[in-house]
Amino acid sequence: MNILDTFLWGVLPYMVIVILIGGTIWRYKYDQFGWTTRSSQFYESKILKIASPLFHYGLVGVLGGHIVGLMIPASWTAALGITDEMYHAGALIMGIPFGLAVLFGLIVMIFRRRTNKSVFAATTISDKIMYVSLMAVIVFGIGVTIFSAMQGHHGHNYRADISPWFRSLFLFQPEVGLMRDIPFTFKMHILLAFALFALWPFTRLVHAFTAPIHYLFRPYIVYRSRGGEKVGRRRGWDPVGTSDNSSNLK
Amino acid sequence: MRVMAQVSMIMALDKCLGCHTCSVTCKQAWTNRAGTEYVWFNNVETRPGLGYPKRYEDQEKWKGGWTLNKKGRLELKAGNRFKKLFTIFASPIQPQMTDYYEPWTYDYQNLISAPLGDDFPVAKPKSLITGEDTAIDWSANWDDDLGGTYVTGNEDPIVQKIRQESEEKIKFEFEQTFMFYLPRICEHCLNPSCMASCPSGAIYKRTEDGIVLVDQDRCRGWRQCITGCPYKKIYFNHKSGKAEKCTFCYPRLEHGIPTVCAETCVGRMRYIGIFLYDADRVTEAASVENDQDLYEAQLDIMLDPFDPEVIREAKKQGIQQSWIEAAQKSPVYKLAKEWKIALPLHPEYRTMPMVWYVPPLSPIIDLLKEQGHDAESQENLFGAIDSLRIPVEYLAELFTAGDTKIVVDVLKKLAAMRAYMRDITLGGVGKEEIAEAVGMTGEQIYEMYRLMAISKYNERYVIPRAHMEDAHNLEEIGCSLEGDGGPGMLYDDAFSGTGARPNPVSAGSYANTARADGKVNIFMWDGNGRPDAMFPNTAGSTRAK
C-alpha cells in the first residue's frame, strides 16, 4: 500500500465529501438565487422532451443500482439464497438498460445543446465542464458494466472489494487495502465520480438536491406575510440579506 | 369568516386609447434586463386578436387554470400533483419562445460604419438570443389595431368558439368589424393556479394585501407556474432560470402610490383600491358547478366594508383602521359590487382573478355612429345592445363565461349613463326613468359618471399605505423612523435610490444581467470583482452590503 493509494482511497473521498457538503451549504446559504434547473426548454422542446426524461429516469435507476450494489453486503443477499451469479445477472439485466438510457439521453442532450443555436448561446462554462465530467463518469460506468458482462462470471466482483471499501468510508475506517488491486477502469469510474461530486455544488446539478417531493404534501395556496419570517442572527455567519430581501435572512 | 384585504385593479375599457404607455413604462421599470426581453408584465391586446402569447386563452391546448374533477372538486387542469412530479423532467405543456417571439435588436452600428456605396446602409435585425440575423415575424402586439386580422383574426380562440356556436363568421371587413383594447397584468388571483402548480412552493400570496409574488431565492425553475397560469402572466427569465411576474408594483403600493402602469395611464382608465373578502370561502366559490355562476360566487365573497360584523372581524384579523376606511372608499368596490359594472376576465378558469374590467360600450357606439344614428340616445343604445349579438357574445366569452345577460346589463348601465348625462350637459335635468330602467337612481348614475368620466386621481386610486408600525417587516424599508412625515422622509429617499442603504428594488439601477437589487448569482458572475452577497462577511462589524 503506497502513499498514492492511501491518498486516493483514504483521504480524497473525505476531501470530496467536505467539498460536496460544505459547497452545498455555502451555495444554499449564499446563492439561492442561482439555485435552479436552468431549463432550456424555452428555446427547444422537441428533442428535450425525449432525451431529458430518458436521462433522468435512467439516472433514478442507476442511482438505485448503485445503492443496492454498494450498500448491501454480499453476505446479506447470500443469506437470502441469491448466488453471486444470480445477483450479477440481475444487476446487468436491470443496470444495462438504465445505463444506456442515461448515456443515450445525455448524448442526445449534448447534441441538442451543441446544434441548437439558442441553447448553445445559453450554455455556460460551468455547464461545459459539468457535461464533460458527467459524460466521463457515465462512459466508464457503462464501460465496466458491459465489460464485466462480456467476461461472464470471470468479471471483477466489485462486491468483494469496492463495496466494503465504500461502506468502510462511513465508519471512518477506510479499508484502503481493498482498493489496491481493482481494475483500472473501475478506478477511473470512481475517481471521475469524485471529480463530479466535487463540482456538484458549483454547477446546475444542485437542482437534484431540491427535488420537490414536498409538493405532494403542501397546501395549494401559500400565504406569506409581507415581512417573511423573522430570524435572529446566527453566530459566526453574518446574514447577507439586505433589508429589501429579508428572505435571505432565513 | 376570515377577512383578508386584497389590492385590486379595475380597467374601464372604453377609456383605453391603445397607446401602450403602460406596457412601455412597466417594461422600463421591471423587465428591462437580459433574460426578460420578451417579458411584458403589462401588455395591451387588440381584441379580437390572438393575445400574448399567441392564443393563450385556448386552455384545451395550454391546460391553464382549474377544472372540476369527477367528485366536483377543484383540480389543476394540467393534472394532479403526482402527474406533475412524474412529468417534471420535461414539462409536457410549455409555451416556447416561438409562442411569444424571438426578441431582437438592430445592428445600428452598420449605419455609421458601412463603407461608402451606392446603397443606403440598413440596420439589420439581430436576435437577442443567438446574436445572429433574424426575421421578425411576431411580437407582443403584432396584431395591434387589427393589423393582419383578416389573416389571423379567425385564430382567436374566442372568435372560434362563437363561430362554432353560431356557424357564422365574425366579419373582419373594415366597415363591419368591431375592436377594443384589452390591457392585461397579473390577476393576483384569490385562488391562483400558478401557485398551486409550483413544485417548490416559491409563489406566495401576501397576507396583508393579496399581492402574488415569486420568491426568487426559492424558485428552482421547474416552470410549472407557466403552465398553470391560464393568463400566461408568469414568465420564465431565460437568463436567470427563474419565474418572474407582475409585482403589482408592491414597493410603490406600500407607500400608497399606484402602480407604474396606472400612474402613467394616459386614458386614466385604471382604478386601484382594496376589497375585503372572506378567505375561508374562496375554494367553495371557485368550485361552483356552473361556469356562469363563478362571477356571482366571486362577487359574493367580497365583503361589505360598512357591515359592522365585517369590520369587527377584520380588526380581529389585524387589519388596520386605515385599511378598513380605504375599503369603504374603494373605487373597485363601487365599480364591481355596488354598481356591478366591472367583470372578471375569464372567470371560467376558476382562479378568482382580481383585476376586473368594465366592458367597452364603444364597439356598439361606433357601429351606431357609422350607420348615422344618434349614439347618445337611450333607445338607440338599448336597441343596439340587444341586437348586436356578436360584440356582446364576444365580451361575454371574455368576462362572464358566455353569459350575455350580465354583459347586456352592464352595457345598458353604461348606455344609461351616457343618455342621462347628455340631458344634464345640455342644461336639462337628468331623467330619473333612464336610471330606473337599469335599476339605479339618478344619484348613483351621477356618482358613477364622476368616477368614470371625471376620474380624479384621489378617487381613482385609494391605496392605504403599508403600516409604518410594521415598517421593520416591509420589504423596502430599513428604519421605521424614515416613514413619510417621520424624521427620515422615506418617500424621497426610497425613490431617489441614493444613500448608504442597499438599493431597494424600487430604486432602479438595473445592471445588464444582475438582478434588480444588484445581486448576482454563480452563473452571472463574470469572475471579476467579489460579489459580497456570495461570501460570508469576514470584515466583522457591519453587515454585508
Side-chain angles (χ1 to χ4, degrees), chain A residues 54-166:
Chain A
L54 206 58
F55 172 79
H56 284 93
Y57 277 115
L59 213 53
V60 172
V62 167
L63 180 71
H66 277 74
I67 291 173
V68 172
L70 291 172
M71 299 306 283
I72 297 180
S75 55
W76 292 16
T77 46
L80 290 173
I82 300 171
T83 64
D84 268 4
E85 281 72 24
M86 283 161 69
Y87 178 88
H88 281 288
L92 291 175
I93 288 165
M94 303 217 274
I96 287 179
F98 279 122
L100 289 178
V102 170
L103 183 66
F104 182 70
L106 189 62
I107 289 172
V108 176
M109 285 205 289
I110 292 176
F111 169 80
R112 162 183 178 274
R113 197 157 271 279
R114 188 64 195 86
T115 51
N116 185 299
K117 282 175 189 162
S118 307
V119 183
F120 191 55
T123 305
T124 61
I125 296 172
S126 151
D127 290 338
K128 290 173 189 168
I129 297 171
M130 186 272 290
Y131 275 119
V132 169
S133 15
L134 192 59
M135 187 57 121
V137 176
I138 291 169
V139 165
F140 272 96
I142 302 249
V144 294
T145 313
I146 292 180
F147 196 56
S148 47
M150 290 190 315
Q151 287 176 316
H153 57 91
H154 300 296
H156 183 72
N157 181 11
Y158 54 85
R159 299 177 85 213
D161 41 34
I162 298 175
S163 301
W165 162 78
F166 183 78

Side-chain angles (χ1 to χ4, degrees), chain B residues 196-416:
Chain B
S197 308
C198 176
S200 310
I203 304 179
Y204 63 98
K205 194 168 181 66
R206 304 211 302 186
T207 44
E208 290 84 356
D209 49 22
I211 293 175
V212 175
L213 295 173
V214 182
D215 185 333
Q216 290 290 295
D217 281 349
R218 287 184 70 180
C219 171
R220 305 281 175 244
W222 302 116
R223 294 154 295 114
Q224 295 305 311
C225 52
I226 296 161
T227 309
C229 174
Y231 303 95
K232 292 291 170 277
K233 273 296 173 191
I234 295 206
Y235 295 87
F236 182 61
N237 178 330
H238 59 88
K239 278 277 188 295
S240 71
K242 306 255 167 165
E244 293 194 24
K245 66 179 290 299
C246 159
T247 63
F248 217 113
C249 289
Y250 71 84
R252 294 174 60 92
L253 260 284
E254 285 173 2
H255 299 128
I257 51 177
T259 61
V260 170
C261 55
E263 180 77 83
T264 59
C265 178
V266 178
R268 304 197 289 183
M269 54 88 74
R270 297 188 188 226
Y271 297 81
I272 298 174
I274 57 170
F275 280 112
L276 298 179
Y277 71 101
D278 184 356
D280 281 342
R281 281 163 55 210
V282 170
T283 308
E284 181 196 326
S287 315
V288 297
E289 197 186 336
N290 187 348
D291 281 353
Q292 295 190 345
D293 295 335
L294 282 158
Y295 158 65
E296 281 294 340
Q298 187 171 1
L299 214 51
D300 268 354
I301 59 172
M302 302 300 158
L303 300 169
D304 177 1
F306 296 98
D307 180 344
E309 202 204 329
V310 170
I311 294 172
R312 199 169 49 240
E313 217 33 61
K315 283 189 173 156
K316 217 159 80 185
Q317 302 288 333
I319 295 174
Q320 307 284 349
Q321 179 64 28
S322 65
W323 279 63
I324 294 169
E325 281 164 20
Q328 291 170 343
K329 283 190 281 190
S330 169
V332 295
Y333 182 82
K334 287 187 185 122
L335 292 167
K337 184 109 181 181
E338 264 182 53
W339 306 326
K340 291 196 171 53
I341 54 169
L343 303 169
L345 180 64
H346 290 299
E348 72 275 18
Y349 298 160
R350 297 178 182 270
T351 61
M352 304 269 118
M354 289 309 292
V355 173
W356 287 28
Y357 295 87
V358 179
L361 188 61
S362 51
I364 291 172
I365 293 171
D366 290 348
L367 285 168
L368 277 178
K369 274 188 192 157
E370 272 156 25
Q371 291 161 12
H373 297 293
D374 174 5
E376 318 289 322
S377 133
Q378 187 206 2
E379 294 83 44
N380 285 355
L381 281 166
F382 277 25
I385 290 167
D386 285 331
S387 63
L388 288 171
R389 209 171 45 76
I390 287 187
V392 170
E393 274 184 14
Y394 192 94
L395 293 171
E397 289 296 338
L398 277 184
F399 300 119
T400 59
D403 185 347
T404 49
K405 186 182 174 306
I406 298 169
V407 173
V408 165
D409 284 351
V410 173
L411 294 180
K412 283 190 174 170
K413 281 177 189 168
L414 298 177

Side-chain angles (χ1 to χ4, degrees), chain B residues 112-133:
Chain B
I112 304 165
S113 62
L116 194 61
D118 291 337
D119 303 314
F120 275 106
V122 292
K124 279 206 273 187
K126 298 275 181 186
S127 164
L128 279 170
I129 303 292
T130 62
E132 297 184 4
D133 286 348

Side-chain angles (χ1 to χ4, degrees), chain A residues 23 26-60 109 112 116-127 199-230 233 236-250, chain B residues 2 4 38 66 76 80-82 84-97 100 102 129-130 132 190-192 195-209 215-223 236 238-242 254 277 279 323 466-467 470 472-478 502-505 515 517 519-524 532-537 540-545:
Chain A
W26 163 78
R27 187 86 186 274
Y28 195 79
K29 221 167 146 54
Y30 293 100
D31 189 37
Q32 287 258 348
F33 181 47
W35 195 298
T36 146
T37 58
R38 286 180 59 73
S39 167
S40 58
Q41 197 179 355
F42 181 68
Y43 306 122
E44 198 286 331
S45 188
K46 277 200 183 102
I47 303 176
L48 184 91
K49 270 187 182 170
I50 298 164
S52 174
L54 206 58
F55 172 79
H56 284 93
Y57 277 115
L59 213 53
V60 172
M109 285 205 289
R112 162 183 178 274
N116 185 299
K117 282 175 189 162
S118 307
V119 183
F120 191 55
T123 305
T124 61
I125 296 172
S126 151
D127 290 338
L199 286 170
W200 199 289
F202 313 103
T203 64
R204 58 163 58 178
L205 295 178
V206 287
H207 73 265
F209 292 152
T210 47
I213 307 299
H214 59 284
Y215 179 56
L216 295 175
F217 312 104
R218 74 169 178 83
Y220 269 144
I221 307 301
V222 180
Y223 293 104
R224 210 205 277 183
S225 179
R226 195 166 46 203
E229 297 156 49
K230 271 191 285 178
R233 294 181 136 208
W237 292 62
D238 251 354
V240 290
T242 53
S243 55
D244 59 303
N245 182 20
S246 54
S247 61
N248 261 13
L249 292 172
K250 263 177 249 166
Chain B
R2 184 162 54 116
M4 286 179 84
Y38 78 103
W66 301 89
L76 288 171
N80 63 25
R81 299 175 198 243
F82 287 99
K84 286 207 154 287
L85 283 196
F86 278 117
T87 54
I88 203 162
F89 297 134
S91 183
I93 302 146
Q94 192 73 209
Q96 298 292 285
M97 193 164 65
Y100 300 92
E102 186 163 350
I129 303 292
T130 62
E132 297 184 4
L190 300 182
N191 187 36
M195 190 182 287
S197 308
C198 176
S200 310
I203 304 179
Y204 63 98
K205 194 168 181 66
R206 304 211 302 186
T207 44
E208 290 84 356
D209 49 22
D215 185 333
Q216 290 290 295
D217 281 349
R218 287 184 70 180
C219 171
R220 305 281 175 244
W222 302 116
R223 294 154 295 114
F236 182 61
H238 59 88
K239 278 277 188 295
S240 71
K242 306 255 167 165
E254 285 173 2
Y277 71 101
W323 279 63
H467 263 265
D470 294 337
H472 55 278
N473 283 333
L474 286 189
E475 296 184 35
E476 285 289 309
I477 303 171
N503 281 353
V505 183
R515 159 167 114 151
D517 54 7
K519 197 173 168 181
V520 290
N521 70 26
I522 197 169
F523 300 106
M524 293 169 174
D532 287 339
M534 281 168 54
F535 294 93
N537 178 11
S541 58
T542 55
R543 72 164 177 214
K545 273 203 268 183

